[in-house]
Amino acid sequence: MHTVNGIVCAALSLSLVVLLNKQDKILFRLSPVFLMVVAVSFSMLIGVLWEFFEFGVDRIMKKDMQKDTWVSEISTVSLDTGSDSRVTTISQIEKVTINDSEVVLDGYLDIGLYDTMEDLFVTFVGAVSFNLFAAIYSKKHSRL
């Protein structure tokens, strides 16, 4: 779904510029590279707004739109006991304590970060893929 979002939003932003270029009163003369940057940026903006929406629904309505991920290793500065903020890595997490009772889990439960980053990455891939397709298509058909 997020890859399709990247493609559709990139196509929409490029289509809007083409439509505006057909107007007599408004004429845009923008470089193709700039158009591609704008198309990818627009796709990413929509992707980020969607992730804000997912986060809001999770927090306000107590849903789970940002799917959780089991992680067996984390790196953090929050667990550093010194004052120099060194990165501490905890690997092979096999058990987790929640509210003073031991709960056997498959690892550390990440609450949405991996889902959000994967969603934004595939949105980016979709937008860049469409732009590459559009660039190749426009070069081949520029003589028409």
Side-chain angles (χ1 to χ4, degrees), residues 75-88:
S75 296
T76 179
V77 296
S78 296
L79 297 177
D80 180 34
T81 56
S83 61
D84 55 353
S85 297
R86 284 184 281 154
V87 175
T88 302

Side-chain angles (χ1 to χ4, degrees), residues 68-72 96 105-110:
D68 304 332
T69 304
W70 292 104
V71 181
S72 61
V96 176
L105 303 171
D106 293 335
Y108 170 76
L109 183 62
D110 167 71

Side-chain angles (χ1 to χ4, degrees), residues 66-138:
Q66 295 175 306
K67 300 301 179 202
D68 304 332
T69 304
W70 292 104
V71 181
S72 61
E73 178 178 291
I74 61 171
S75 296
T76 179
V77 296
S78 296
L79 297 177
D80 180 34
T81 56
S83 61
D84 55 353
S85 297
R86 284 184 281 154
V87 175
T88 302
T89 300
I90 302 171
S91 60
Q92 299 176 348
I93 299 171
E94 296 173 356
K95 62 183 176 178
V96 176
T97 302
I98 300 174
N99 295 334
D100 296 327
S101 63
E102 188 174 293
V103 180
V104 178
L105 303 171
D106 293 335
Y108 170 76
L109 183 62
D110 167 71
I111 51 173
L113 178 63
Y114 281 80
D115 178 70
T116 297
M117 292 293 96
E118 288 170 0
D119 291 350
L120 292 175
F121 179 73
V122 296
T123 299
F124 178 76
V125 167
V128 169
S129 298
F130 176 81
N131 279 298
L132 291 174
F133 169 77
I136 292 167
Y137 181 85
S138 66

